[in-house]
Amino acid sequence: MSRLADWQQIDEAARWHDILHSLPAAHPLQSWVWGAFKSRWGWSMKALALPGAEGHAAAALVLRRQLPGLPFSFLYVPKGPLFAYEDEALRERVLDDLQALARQERAIFVKIDPDVVRSCGLEPEQPDPVGAAWLRSLQARGWRFSTDQVQFRNTVLLDLEQSEESLLAAMKSKTRYNIRLAARKEVEVRQVGPEAFPAIVEMYATTAERNEFGIRPPAYYLDAWQSLYEAGMAQPFLAEYQGTPLAAVIVVHFGKLALYMYGASNELERNRMPTYLVQWEAIRWAKAQGCRIYDFWGAPDEFVESDSLWGVWRFKSGFEGEVVRHIGAWDYPARPFWYWLFNVALPRYRRLLRSRNRDRAGSG
């Protein structure tokens, strides 16, 4: 049974972050900074915390988006909710309350994508019993695996509690060679600030075109990076040759987690391997800050060459982190008909229109 009244709405950033840091798996996408940023891009935010015997037992930064022209919205809990995922009773309580919140907020659905591990490793996979229990519960409750995953389901995690020497020694020989080659070829990496963001966003657009993935308007990234930087949660790194920018990494850190959230490079001097050295310097920096995990933020859904992330995976795999597969994003359809219309019928209709427009253009 829902007991939504037990949840506290938190209205102060510092208090919210204290609560997050007291819970397992605190993630920057659950931070006040991220919620405030998204509030400038069409969402509203609500920071909810569930008191426990000592401190708080759970937290959920809930983003709400109103559907234009309709009395309905949809809700999203990015990389949350946060609590001890192995606690089955608490899991059922939190899911109950999120379902009730969706109904209360007149939401068509609520989406969650907590960092609940489904399995680790490539071959053979090592299933996680906590993830299996979550999947059974979600399916029994009528939650649906989302057609819109938003965040990456799979990722690569690097254990930063090893020494730098051990990290280097564990890498694939080609990756280690390329790091040293970049240094020999006079690539220099330095920490930069917001003054470098315009150059980085240009490189990011080049990267998107080269790797064939969609991106948002430049203003979106400039706003996100500035917000995270001003909050002390982001550190940009720039790789240069004779003063010319070649590649960049923006590391987002929160608690003991460092997240390789943005990476970019242009077409200049690629034979100098700047992406390898800038990545290594970002890893070294994260380790020096006391972070325990470096999250490479994304790996293929399927580890086959036809996957769109295969090229990115080949680069990341050289650092020899651990492949971690999460359960992914799940939706609770609070209004099943509207959920079907929004997620199935309308996308099909848009695809049909695009197909007809292509046919007409071809016949002309």
Side-chain angles (χ1 to χ4, degrees), residues 175-299:
T175 297
R176 190 167 54 246
Y177 173 82
N178 285 340
I179 290 170
R180 291 168 175 163
L181 176 68
R184 288 199 305 272
K185 285 183 171 283
E186 302 177 47
V187 173
E188 295 183 350
V189 175
R190 60 188 177 94
Q191 297 177 32
V192 293
E195 75 284 350
F197 289 159
I200 296 174
V201 83
E202 284 186 19
M203 283 194 283
Y204 196 58
T206 300
T207 304
E209 184 176 356
R210 183 173 61 241
N211 293 313
E212 299 181 343
F213 63 83
I215 60 172
R216 299 174 184 266
Y220 178 90
Y221 298 105
L222 295 173
D223 187 5
W225 300 344
Q226 186 75 33
S227 302
L228 292 164
Y229 183 84
E230 289 179 352
M233 289 173 56
Q235 179 56 61
F237 296 83
L238 197 61
E240 299 171 310
Y241 173 65
Q242 296 183 348
T244 300
L246 306 178
V249 161
I250 298 178
V251 177
V252 177
H253 56 104
F254 197 67
K256 299 299 182 182
L257 174 68
L259 191 64
Y260 164 42
M261 199 163 179
Y262 302 97
S265 62
N266 54 35
E267 304 300 327
L268 303 174
E269 306 288 350
R270 293 175 65 80
N271 64 316
R272 296 180 189 275
M273 303 299 168
T275 55
Y276 288 88
L277 185 59
V278 72
Q279 189 69 244
W280 172 237
E281 292 300 329
I283 291 168
R284 292 182 65 227
W285 176 86
K287 178 174 172 56
Q289 299 305 303
C291 296
R292 294 176 183 169
I293 296 292
Y294 190 86
D295 186 341
F296 279 92
W297 193 240

Side-chain angles (χ1 to χ4, degrees), residues 88-135:
E88 295 191 6
L90 186 55
R91 179 193 67 221
E92 297 304 303
R93 166 69 194 275
V94 171
L95 292 176
D96 274 345
D97 292 348
L98 286 175
Q99 292 171 197
L101 181 66
R103 293 188 289 269
Q104 177 181 290
E105 295 287 332
R106 296 180 61 80
I108 292 174
F109 65 94
V110 56
K111 180 191 301 291
I112 63 173
D113 53 10
D115 270 349
V116 175
V117 176
R118 180 172 66 86
S119 66
C120 296
L122 259 183
E123 293 180 0
E125 289 184 52
Q126 303 161 32
D128 189 291
V130 173
W134 267 78
L135 293 175

Side-chain angles (χ1 to χ4, degrees), residues 17-18 37 60 126 190:
H17 285 182
D18 286 343
F37 156 66
Q126 303 161 32
R190 60 188 177 94

